[in-house]
Amino acid sequence: MFLRLYIKKFLKIFFVKGSAIFMRLKIFRLLLILLLAGLFIACAKKPPEKIEQIEYPAENGDRPHTPENITEEFEPQPEIPQYNEYNVSLDIDPEARTVKGIERIRFTNRTGEALEQIVCRVFLNAFSEEAEYRPYFASFETSIFPHGRDYGYMNILHVSLDNEELFYSLTDSGTVLTIELVEPLAAEETIQLRIQFVAYVPRIRHRTGSNGQAMWCGAFLPLISVYGKNGWHTEPYGPVGNPVFTDTAHYTVNITTPENYTVTGTGKKNETVLEEHKVSTFTAAHTRDFAFALSPSYKNEILITPSGIEISLFYYSDGVNTEDVLAVTAESLYFFQEMVGIYPYSQLCIAETGLYIPGMEFSKIIFIDSDMLGSPLIYMRMVQEVGRQWFFNVIGNNAALEPWLAEGLTLFLQDMFFYPDRSELRGKLQTDYSNFAARYKDMRNVENKKISRPQAEYENWNEYYLVQQQKSKLMIYGLFIMMGDEMFAQFLNGYYHHFAFGNASSEGFISLAESIIGSSLNSFFNLWLNNATLPDFPE
């Protein structure tokens, strides 16, 4: 807790006007380095017994767990027979920025009905020249294309099942791959699909992109979409929020690059050097997606937490305060483990990239923009990105339709991290509410004031930030006020237990909250979620 308190004091100092800021920055940096020892003392204190008692089955060097390991207080979801498996080989030419890929998907039909089609998402095609819609607002084009327009694509070459070619089609600007099966796939039946593709990574600053220093690929691989009550989810790759909505799976990914490139990605890595090339093999169990980055300039610093989690920072810029970044990441991990549930993996990677926003979360890896990595605000950003390992990766949800499920919880817990004193937390949120209310009032689109609004209908990042992050954060604070510390902790643990490695929904979230509090919360959530009028500050 020492580190977070000094960061909080620093953030107050940082926004004070006057020439003394530079001296304060130097003093802060010295204090922060001296207090690293305090971090390890704080991290080393015993966690709750329910965390200590968890035993991790080893699989491919990772340490996944199933939801029923977490606690005995709540009934788990019905056991899933098995997870889908992705076995992928990628051959990358970094100079040409091309990727040749073969993906084998072992898919089990858990929909409860026979399937005649399987739908995958191919998000890279949203950046093709022919795309009908763009995954960014026009106002960000200059930032996203600093060197002029450069379009990306993923061409699907073959799709087969048991060496038999399958018919497929690409729709929605090439982002929806529909595979036609020769025979219907019965419920609980398993097949193995083979997809061959070639991709071009554009020189842009987005989830997938490149610059003169590195190449990074997030929301990159063709992934089977989620099948819901209305069929396959094919929501568009919108210009705000996170487009990835997939089921948890197991990944084995082999990435071949020139020998002088360092590759980092989701999961545990092993390397094999073959003449002038290197094969980096990643294994990741119980994982929402797979992302990776590579550079000939990456330097690497590692911190092992007292609980054995390896935090790796890959960076190419000079002047990065690696000790501080690793330290705040370690304390953030410990904080979210205490508040929500165990971090069920043995690795977390941070990779410097070039982004048009400060950071982007993926399973077990965080992409951070170079400017943010060198900014004093990196501490706040890392807490938020670490939190999304819980409210995106471990607990999934359809962020295109219900982004508040991840946004509100992450932002509220971020404030709790920096303001552990409840009176200070309240004061901070009251200030946020006052600042938010003025900007909220000026929003022209009344419908966009509703938290229940889907991502695609937002007209700019500002409105999304105000409603899906700030308003939903205040709603979660209102829930916290009604429940109190002990009951809210029980709710978080129950939410984690029910939905770990699955997909949450607003109905499930509200139902669990009602079961914890023992009464209906229909009027509370309806007021916050479906009403354009801003509720009063929670009392």
Side-chain angles (χ1 to χ4, degrees):
M1 190 173 75
F2 298 111
L3 181 61
R4 78 182 74 157
L5 293 176
Y6 273 89
I7 293 172
K8 180 181 71 174
K9 292 179 181 179
F10 163 74
L11 293 173
K12 292 179 179 178
I13 293 171
F14 181 69
F15 291 103
V16 173
K17 296 180 180 179
S19 59
I21 181 63
F22 299 105
M23 182 58 68
R24 288 170 174 161
L25 282 171
K26 291 180 180 178
I27 294 172
F28 173 76
R29 286 171 62 84
L30 289 173
L31 286 172
L32 202 54
I33 292 171
L34 291 172
L35 286 164
L36 286 176
L39 165 68
F40 290 106
I41 294 172
C43 289
K45 63 184 180 182
K46 286 189 176 182
E49 286 188 7
K50 63 190 177 196
I51 293 177
E52 284 186 341
Q53 292 172 353
I54 294 176
E55 294 183 1
Y56 299 97
E59 181 169 339
N60 294 329
D62 215 332
R63 55 177 204 186
H65 70 318
T66 53
E68 52 265 38
N69 292 122
I70 300 168
T71 181
E72 300 299 329
E73 296 179 20
F74 299 95
E75 289 297 322
Q77 296 182 99
E79 184 179 353
I80 299 174
Q82 68 181 95
Y83 292 96
N84 295 329
E85 297 178 9
Y86 292 82
N87 193 307
V88 186
S89 295
L90 303 176
D91 191 343
I92 300 179
D93 182 342
E95 297 299 320
R97 302 201 300 280
T98 57
V99 181
K100 297 177 182 178
I102 296 176
E103 181 178 63
R104 295 174 178 85
I105 308 173
R106 188 166 189 234
F107 172 76
T108 299
N109 178 7
R110 303 182 194 89
T111 67
E113 55 189 90
L115 295 176
E116 296 181 352
Q117 301 173 328
I118 293 177
V119 173
C120 298
R121 302 308 308 271
V122 187
F123 291 114
L124 183 59
N125 283 332
F127 297 93
S128 66
E129 189 170 5
E130 296 78 20
E132 297 176 6
Y133 53 85
R134 304 294 180 193
Y136 51 83
F137 294 114
S139 58
F140 284 95
E141 286 193 15
T142 302
S143 176
I144 292 172
F145 298 98
H147 306 288
R149 287 189 173 274
D150 188 20
Y151 297 101
Y153 60 81
M154 178 173 286
N155 289 338
I156 304 299
L157 304 179
H158 302 283
V159 179
S160 61
L161 171 62
D162 297 329
N163 296 320
E164 182 179 355
E165 292 285 327
L166 297 179
F167 177 79
Y168 63 89
S169 60
L170 286 165
T171 56
D172 293 7
S173 296
T175 64
V176 177
L177 170 65
T178 302
I179 302 169
E180 305 289 344
L181 299 176
V182 176
E183 297 180 356
L185 182 67
E188 305 306 321
E189 187 177 353
T190 299
I191 59 173
Q192 182 166 290
L193 296 169
R194 182 182 185 274
I195 301 174
Q196 186 175 354
F197 60 86
V198 60
Y200 173 75
V201 176
R203 193 170 187 182
I204 58 174
R205 303 175 67 217
H206 213 285
R207 280 184 172 82
T208 292
S210 62
N211 54 23
Q213 296 285 349
M215 187 172 91
W216 54 94
C217 296
F220 179 79
L221 294 177
L223 298 180
I224 293 179
S225 187
V226 174
Y227 191 91
K229 60 183 178 182
N230 296 317
W232 295 101
H233 281 277
T234 58
E235 288 80 17
Y237 187 165
V240 296
N242 193 328
V244 178
F245 182 39
T246 61
D247 290 314
T248 295
H250 301 325
Y251 289 82
T252 301
V253 182
N254 298 290
I255 301 176
T256 302
T257 61
E259 185 181 356
N260 62 317
Y261 274 76
T262 297
V263 185
T264 182
T266 298
K268 183 176 178 60
K269 181 177 76 170
N270 289 302
E271 290 183 346
T272 303
V273 177
L274 302 172
E275 296 181 353
E276 295 181 352
H277 291 83
K278 178 168 59 179
V279 178
S280 301
T281 299
F282 293 87
T283 53
H286 295 74
T287 303
R288 188 73 49 181
D289 66 351
F290 180 86
F292 63 96
L294 57 143
S295 171
S297 306
Y298 270 149
K299 295 168 279 188
N300 180 218
E301 295 290 340
I302 295 175
L303 182 151
I304 307 295
T305 71
S307 59
I309 300 170
E310 178 182 285
I311 305 173
S312 298
L313 172 60
F314 291 83
Y315 64 102
Y316 50 77
S317 293
D318 295 328
V320 176
N321 193 327
T322 59
E323 293 89 350
D324 292 357
V325 173
L326 291 169
V328 74
T329 303
E331 190 172 356
S332 300
L333 278 169
Y334 183 73
F335 171 80
F336 279 95
Q337 287 196 117
E338 283 191 304
M339 293 299 300
V340 185
I342 196 73
Y343 181 74
Y345 313 109
S346 55
Q347 308 90 20
L348 177 62
C349 175
I350 307 158
E352 179 180 359
T353 58
L355 305 173
Y356 80 105
I357 58 176
M360 294 179 179
E361 71 282 355
F362 302 95
S363 298
K364 309 179 193 177
I365 184 170
I366 298 166
F367 290 173
I368 293 292
D369 179 61
S370 298
D371 290 341
M372 175 53 63
L373 191 59
S375 166
L377 298 180
I378 183 62
Y379 309 110
M380 288 187 66
R381 192 70 200 190
M382 287 312 306
V383 177
Q384 184 178 144
E385 297 298 342
V386 168
R388 295 184 192 281
Q389 292 300 311
W390 276 261
F391 305 118
F392 158 71
N393 180 23
V394 178
I395 302 172
N397 75 284
N398 190 342
L401 300 182
E402 298 177 319
W404 70 268
L405 282 167
E407 300 282 14
L409 280 170
T410 302
L411 270 292
F412 176 63
L413 290 173
Q414 179 192 45
D415 282 345
M416 290 189 76
F417 176 90
F418 287 109
Y419 297 87
D421 179 87
R422 295 298 177 255
S423 61
E424 289 191 2
L425 176 66
R426 182 175 183 80
K428 195 271 182 184
L429 290 172
Q430 281 182 317
T431 300
D432 286 353
Y433 181 88
S434 299
N435 295 334
F436 162 74
R439 298 168 64 189
Y440 183 84
K441 183 180 179 181
D442 293 337
M443 286 179 60
R444 291 173 295 177
N445 191 327
V446 175
E447 289 299 309
N448 278 359
K449 292 185 174 183
K450 300 176 181 179
I451 295 177
S452 56
R453 193 76 159 168
Q455 280 182 351
E457 298 181 15
Y458 282 92
E459 300 170 356
N460 54 65
W461 267 103
N462 180 59
E463 290 188 351
Y464 179 86
Y465 168 79
L466 287 175
V467 177
Q468 293 300 331
Q469 294 191 344
Q470 294 301 307
K471 187 178 180 182
S472 65
K473 177 183 76 172
L474 291 165
M475 178 182 70
I476 299 300
Y477 178 62
L479 183 65
F480 169 74
I481 291 298
M482 284 193 294
M483 288 183 168
D485 276 88
E486 185 175 344
M487 193 178 292
F488 187 72
Q490 187 183 17
F491 167 74
L492 287 178
N493 183 252
Y495 185 64
Y496 177 68
H497 173 69
H498 276 268
F499 296 108
F501 308 128
N503 294 311
S505 65
S506 59
E507 291 84 357
F509 182 98
I510 294 169
S511 177
L512 179 62
E514 289 177 335
S515 70
I516 296 294
I517 208 166
S519 61
S520 173
L521 294 172
N522 182 65
S523 59
F524 170 82
F525 281 107
N526 184 59
L527 180 64
W528 280 96
L529 292 173
N530 305 315
N531 201 307
T533 302
L534 181 64
D536 293 333
F537 182 76
E539 297 293 343

